[in-house]
Amino acid sequence: MHILRLLLQVFKQLIEYLHTGSCHLQARTLLGLINAADHFSVDELKQACLNFASRCINTDTVCPLLRSAEIYIQYKSTKLIVQKVRDRPSLPWLLRACDLPGWIRM
């Protein structure tokens, strides 16, 4: 049995979504939330997170987003979003300035 480890803020967002059908998405908790949605088969939330990621990855949000990747890198949704960031031609220079682990900057 695999137990998903979530930060408290991510767990609160997941519970908020399950209770109300909505929650406030933010870059610093996005990876945790998308992995929680994937783990618990909350497909609408997962899709909302993917859509948000497509819109929110920019110079202001990429560093907090990728810092959270270290916690969730073993999950496929995290790997997908990290790869999307790496593939964006406007962001590689920023990755060097984010003080990120080497595996993210590769």
Side-chain angles (χ1 to χ4, degrees), residues 16-29:
E16 178 183 352
Y17 181 83
L18 293 173
H19 181 68
T20 66
S22 67
C23 65
H24 179 72
L25 298 176
Q26 47 194 327
R28 66 183 173 84
T29 57

Side-chain angles (χ1 to χ4, degrees), residues 25-42:
L25 298 176
Q26 47 194 327
R28 66 183 173 84
T29 57
L30 179 65
L31 293 178
L33 194 58
I34 194 170
N35 287 298
D38 192 28
H39 183 80
F40 295 110
S41 300
V42 186

Side-chain angles (χ1 to χ4, degrees), residues 28-78:
R28 66 183 173 84
T29 57
L30 179 65
L31 293 178
L33 194 58
I34 194 170
N35 287 298
D38 192 28
H39 183 80
F40 295 110
S41 300
V42 186
D43 295 333
E44 288 180 7
L45 178 58
K46 182 180 177 182
Q47 189 58 51
C49 289
L50 288 170
N51 293 341
F52 180 76
S54 296
R55 293 188 320 270
C56 88
I57 298 172
N58 60 47
T59 56
D60 295 327
T61 61
V62 72
C63 291
L65 177 75
L66 291 178
R67 281 189 198 105
S68 71
E70 192 165 17
I71 301 167
Y72 302 107
I73 196 57
Q74 69 270 30
Y75 302 105
K76 64 182 177 181
S77 295
T78 296

